[in-house]
Amino acid sequence: QNNKRPLYGTITSPNYPKPYPNSNESTWNITVPEGYHISLNFLVFDIEPSENCYYDFVKVMADGKELGQFCGSVNSLTNPTRRQFVSTGTQMRIHFQSDFSNELDGDIVPYKGFMAFYQAIDKDECAPPSDNSATWTPPCEHVCHNYVGGYFCSCFPGYHLQSDSRSCKVECSSEMFTEESGFISSPGYPEPYPPDLKCNYSIRLEEGLQISLSFQKPFEIDYHPKARCPYDTLEVFAGDMMLNSFCGSDSPGMVMTRSHTVDIVFETDDSGDSKGWSLHYTSEAIPCPNPKAWDKYTIISPKQNIYRMRDYIVVTCQTGYKIMEDRKELGSFSTICQKDGTWHRPIPRCEIVTCKDPPVLTNGQYKFLTAPGNLEYESVIQYHCNEPYYKMVTAKDSDTFTCSAQRQWKDESGGNKIPLCIPVCGKPDNPVTNFGR
Amino acid sequence: ILHGKKAAPGNFPWQVFISRMGRAGGALIGEHWVLTAAHVLQPENEEKEDNDPTKVHIFMRSLDVNQLLKIGNYPVEAFYVHPKYRRGRYDNDIALIRLKNPVVMGENVSPVCLPSPEDEDDIYQNHRNGYVSGYGQTENRTIANELRYVSVPVVSWSACETYVNDKKLKVKDVSERQKYSLTRNMFCAGFPEESLNKGDSCEGDSGGAYTTPNRQDTWVATGLVSWGIGCGQGYGIYTKVSNYLDWIKSYTEKD
């Protein structure tokens, strides 16, 4: 009789398991929270039998109705142990009553009484009543979701749940889409759309993107064969310009808007039974022209078939070449495809690098083994000392130097120390000789 | 040079003409280095030691003194006298002169080599001939304005020692006698026949190189003209360059 009792429990007759007292009346009121109903089972039942259970009995009541009055022992027909009592509502009442004696043929008979188990059971509010009562009203206008202890409602796409948490209404006057792709459909699609709609679906994407609309099937908007869309209309705007208006049952298929702002306006009159429309929109950036190298020394990466907004390329040169932009040498170069489909910097050129004049060798000189005077990458020079008065000393036995990609003259080992010319000693040009003997 | 010959161009391209208190010789041993005798730079007759390098004038590139003077001198950056040299004695009579600017070698000027340890047995052996050149006094007691040279043989150390000691006995002045000391840092070269007109180096040749073509026919500076008892009257005494290779290289190899 306490509302705060747990969601399950047992009820026993007075003095149970000892015989119940005479002239006793007891009542139990079971209450569970909203969203539940009550299930009751008798586990033990031993009440003085009588015709119509007139003397002693247990009465079960729920939902304003009496579910039965019971007495007897295990095998009697009026015993309720094989039944499950289930309430529709949140309350159940058990009433026990005994008369002044329990005698049979002058002998006192002890009756044990009863023990019952009750529990709260989640109520599926979404399910219609099993007795198909005509008065049942679904708890949700569109979709009902049951959960333990309650339920909630939701609406079909394009509809909004109203403040009563039950009914759904179309609200599509300012639908905004900012993802680069997505789906849009008429309210309730593919079920017939409601009357008196004035929907506006706005797609707003970054400048430089171009939106394409792909209308799906079924496509069905009320029309008249001899007048252009007199009832319901679907209009597509690109920016401020209307591209087209549609009705009927022929899907427009693909619509290329070439704009990054699109509005789809759908207006219906007060009648009709058409299924409506749906579309998948996608967007693509404006492609930039394929970058072309000016010469075979230019390396463009990454290589792509199409370059679109935000794609960028890096230009490098082959070894021994340098990047030149407007006669200015660059350490590195990259350019990005802009929203208007142009590259933000034109592709530069690659020019061969040159070395400075080779270091002068004191008491020696160099000569070109490649084209004389050419200081470009991979030109080769060889040093010589002024013989016979000097001889060469080299770091790694190399007198040959090549103009490297780093614009330095390097020997075969990669060193840049030029040889030394050191004087030859003890070798006179004209040693003294005596001819006379 | 006594009883020598006029040198031809290219005979002794290492010959350096040094002018300080008087004339002297030297030997070019590298682009920056001239080897000479210590007493050329710190002579006995100088009142006090003067280490001013600007007073040392170096000439090269010609065999003619007048021409040398016209060509001009090679500025001296510094000179280094052997630390064990003492004025008035001739032991360790060796010095190095560092030139401010490198010498550009050619037909008329190129260095002489220093002897290698392998050369020693060859170039200092008794009777081994070598050549000494210079602009010093000739047999006519005139100075040579053109480079002259003479070939003189090495004399054994014992023969030289005997010769020097004999001469020493005839000297009465004690301080003079001290100069007559032959050390192992010296060797003698010349002819024993006193009465003959024989070749020798003489005053003005000091510091010049006594050179020997070694077995590889490379000319090496075997000695430096150091001292003697008169000229042409016995052996000339030369600084033994091979004893100073480490000292020389301690300077030159820094380059």
Side-chain angles (χ1 to χ4, degrees):
Chain A
Q1 299 193 2
N2 180 354
N3 278 348
K4 289 188 178 175
R5 292 172 71 172
L7 294 177
Y8 59 91
T10 55
I11 299 165
T12 57
S13 52
N15 296 338
Y16 183 87
K18 291 179 181 173
Y20 54 79
N22 292 328
S23 302
N24 182 275
E25 262 189 69
S26 299
T27 301
W28 294 266
N29 285 319
I30 305 170
T31 304
V32 293
E34 285 295 326
Y36 293 88
H37 51 189
I38 303 161
S39 160
L40 180 78
N41 286 84
F42 286 94
L43 306 175
V44 176
F45 197 87
D46 187 22
I47 304 287
E48 180 190 21
S50 61
E51 189 174 355
N52 293 329
C53 298
Y54 181 75
Y55 300 140
D56 298 350
F57 61 86
V58 173
K59 195 189 283 183
V60 179
M61 288 157 288
D63 309 315
K65 289 188 296 186
E66 183 181 310
L67 301 182
Q69 182 168 310
F70 308 99
C71 61
S73 58
V74 175
N75 296 320
S76 71
L77 291 172
T78 52
N79 185 304
T81 50
R82 291 183 189 139
R83 281 186 62 181
Q84 183 183 27
F85 300 90
V86 178
S87 72
T88 307
T90 58
Q91 291 188 339
M92 189 176 271
R93 170 178 286 194
I94 294 101
H95 179 74
F96 169 76
Q97 187 173 317
S98 60
D99 65 0
F100 63 93
S101 72
N102 286 333
E103 289 181 6
L104 183 65
D105 299 334
D107 297 328
I108 294 172
V109 180
Y111 293 101
K112 207 173 185 179
F114 71 89
M115 179 171 72
F117 175 76
Y118 74 87
Q119 61 181 330
I121 294 176
D122 176 48
K123 183 179 177 182
D124 185 358
E125 293 89 345
C126 300
S130 54
D131 58 357
N132 290 326
S133 61
T135 56
W136 184 72
T137 306
C140 301
E141 187 178 347
H142 281 183
V143 186
C144 178
H145 307 272
N146 176 60
Y147 62 87
V148 176
Y151 73 100
F152 69 92
C153 300
S154 66
C155 300
F156 297 133
Y159 292 79
H160 288 261
L161 191 65
Q162 300 302 293
S163 57
D164 62 1
S165 301
R166 180 190 170 277
S167 53
C168 296
K169 195 177 173 187
V170 172
E171 173 47 59
C172 54
S173 61
S174 57
E175 299 286 317
M176 180 64 77
F177 296 82
T178 55
E179 299 292 318
E180 291 188 1
S181 64
F183 284 93
I184 306 174
S185 63
S186 57
Y189 181 88
E191 298 300 316
Y193 49 79
D196 298 323
L197 291 177
K198 189 170 175 68
C199 297
N200 191 337
Y201 304 93
S202 301
I203 307 172
R204 295 287 181 270
L205 302 183
E206 188 182 349
E207 201 177 339
L209 292 172
Q210 293 184 332
I211 299 166
S212 300
L213 310 176
S214 173
F215 284 91
Q216 314 287 301
K217 287 180 179 174
F219 182 90
E220 202 176 283
I221 297 173
D222 288 357
Y223 75 107
H224 190 282
K226 291 187 179 174
R228 175 145 180 89
C229 304
Y231 310 125
D232 305 335
T233 55
L234 177 66
E235 293 172 332
V236 175
F237 292 84
D240 295 330
M241 189 178 74
M242 190 177 83
L243 290 183
N244 214 336
S245 66
F246 304 103
C247 60
S249 55
D250 291 335
S251 168
M254 184 69 87
V255 176
M256 316 288 279
T257 69
R258 301 193 186 285
S259 173
H260 68 287
T261 63
V262 167
D263 288 286
I264 298 156
V265 178
F266 184 48
E267 291 182 1
T268 65
D269 62 8
D270 58 357
S271 65
D273 193 31
S274 295
K275 292 178 177 174
W277 53 270
S278 82
L279 63 84
H280 177 224
Y281 77 85
T282 53
S283 58
E284 271 190 341
I286 304 170
C288 279
N290 257 354
K292 280 186 184 165
W294 294 101
D295 46 62
K296 62 181 181 181
Y297 311 110
T298 305
I299 302 164
I300 295 172
S301 62
K303 288 275 183 202
Q304 288 176 202
N305 289 331
I306 296 175
Y307 297 86
R308 295 186 186 278
M309 183 173 69
R310 290 195 293 268
D311 284 343
Y312 72 91
I313 53 173
V314 173
V315 175
T316 53
C317 296
Q318 282 187 5
T319 305
Y321 291 80
K322 57 188 176 183
I323 309 168
M324 297 297 291
E325 185 184 57
D326 298 334
R327 294 184 181 179
K328 188 179 162 199
E329 187 183 344
L330 303 178
S332 61
F333 178 90
S334 64
T335 183
I336 192 161
C337 179
Q338 303 178 118
K339 60 190 175 188
D340 62 353
T342 61
W343 294 102
H344 93 285
R345 289 166 86 182
I347 305 299
R349 290 174 186 275
C350 286
E351 278 183 15
I352 195 164
V353 299
T354 53
C355 286
K356 289 181 181 168
D357 283 333
V360 173
L361 178 62
T362 307
N363 299 311
Q365 61 281 133
Y366 60 83
K367 69 174 182 186
F368 284 91
L369 297 184
T370 47
N374 185 355
L375 302 176
E376 289 176 349
Y377 171 61
E378 289 188 326
S379 295
V380 184
I381 57 163
Q382 188 177 35
Y383 282 102
H384 298 274
C385 289
N386 294 338
E387 291 176 339
Y389 306 107
Y390 290 90
K391 63 182 174 185
M392 187 175 286
V393 177
T394 58
K396 285 190 177 165
D397 209 23
S398 176
D399 57 0
T400 304
F401 285 69
T402 304
C403 177
S404 70
Q406 294 76 39
R407 305 170 209 199
Q408 287 183 323
W409 295 97
K410 296 269 178 78
D411 64 16
E412 288 155 13
S413 316
N416 58 1
K417 267 197 169 176
I418 66 165
L420 281 175
C421 290
I422 61 165
V424 173
C425 69
K427 292 291 181 188
D429 252 15
N430 179 22
V432 287
T433 47
N434 289 320
F435 293 101
R437 301 289 169 96
Chain B
I1 299 294
L2 271 58
H3 301 291
K5 292 178 185 172
K6 205 173 118 182
N11 285 165
F12 304 97
W14 48 81
Q15 180 71 46
V16 174
F17 178 75
I18 298 177
S19 171
R20 192 171 176 275
M21 291 286 283
R23 64 171 54 176
L28 187 68
I29 58 167
E31 286 176 309
H32 279 102
W33 296 98
V34 171
L35 193 61
T36 188
H39 80 266
V40 169
L41 302 170
Q42 292 182 351
E44 181 188 356
N45 55 1
E46 212 167 56
E47 277 186 17
K48 70 174 190 182
E49 208 172 278
D50 187 350
N51 291 322
D52 182 358
T54 62
K55 290 181 180 167
V56 180
H57 303 289
I58 303 289
F59 301 89
M60 282 174 274
R61 264 187 205 289
S62 176
L63 305 177
D64 184 288
V65 170
N66 293 323
Q67 193 62 32
L68 284 170
L69 297 174
K70 276 185 192 169
I71 292 169
N73 72 315
Y74 286 76
V76 173
E77 186 178 280
F79 60 80
Y80 308 97
V81 171
H82 193 277
K84 288 184 177 171
Y85 168 77
R86 297 290 174 265
R87 283 200 298 162
R89 308 286 174 84
Y90 291 91
D91 193 19
N92 304 303
D93 190 14
I94 190 166
L96 276 168
I97 297 169
R98 182 176 163 82
L99 304 175
K100 266 186 185 164
N101 307 308
V103 176
V104 178
M105 309 302 174
E107 185 186 0
N108 297 317
V109 56
S110 76
V112 67
C113 298
L114 293 171
S116 68
E118 295 79 50
D119 290 330
E120 205 161 345
D121 289 345
D122 170 31
I123 61 177
Y124 295 110
Q125 66 175 299
N126 197 16
H127 308 313
R128 179 73 156 90
N129 247 340
Y131 292 82
V132 60
S133 53
Y135 297 95
Q137 193 169 285
T138 68
E139 64 275 14
N140 301 324
R141 295 189 176 274
T142 59
I143 55 164
N145 277 332
E146 290 173 307
L147 184 66
R148 300 185 73 78
Y149 73 95
V150 70
S151 169
V152 285
V154 173
V155 176
S156 73
W157 203 83
S158 58
C160 188
E161 189 179 36
T162 305
Y163 162 74
V164 170
N165 286 338
D166 282 351
K167 293 284 183 187
K168 201 174 184 177
L169 288 173
K170 295 171 186 169
V171 178
K172 289 179 183 172
D173 186 343
V174 176
S175 63
E176 192 70 14
R177 280 173 67 176
Q178 281 180 342
K179 294 173 190 166
Y180 287 67
S181 54
L182 190 70
T183 71
R184 287 288 182 180
N185 293 321
M186 306 168 186
F187 73 91
C188 299
F191 298 93
E193 311 93 306
E194 286 191 30
S195 57
L196 293 177
N197 294 334
K198 54 191 174 44
D200 197 5
S201 54
C202 198
E203 203 175 325
D205 294 326
S206 280
Y210 174 91
T211 56
T212 316
N214 67 8
R215 289 191 186 103
Q216 289 78 41
D217 221 19
T218 298
W219 291 67
V220 300
T222 310
L224 299 172
V225 178
S226 183
W227 62 284
I229 301 154
C231 297
Q233 298 171 23
Y235 304 129
I237 298 162
Y238 299 83
T239 304
K240 192 176 180 185
V241 174
S242 68
N243 284 8
Y244 297 96
L245 294 178
D246 290 342
W247 178 76
I248 294 168
K249 286 175 183 173
S250 72
Y251 287 95
T252 59
E253 285 191 351
K254 284 176 191 165
D255 288 339

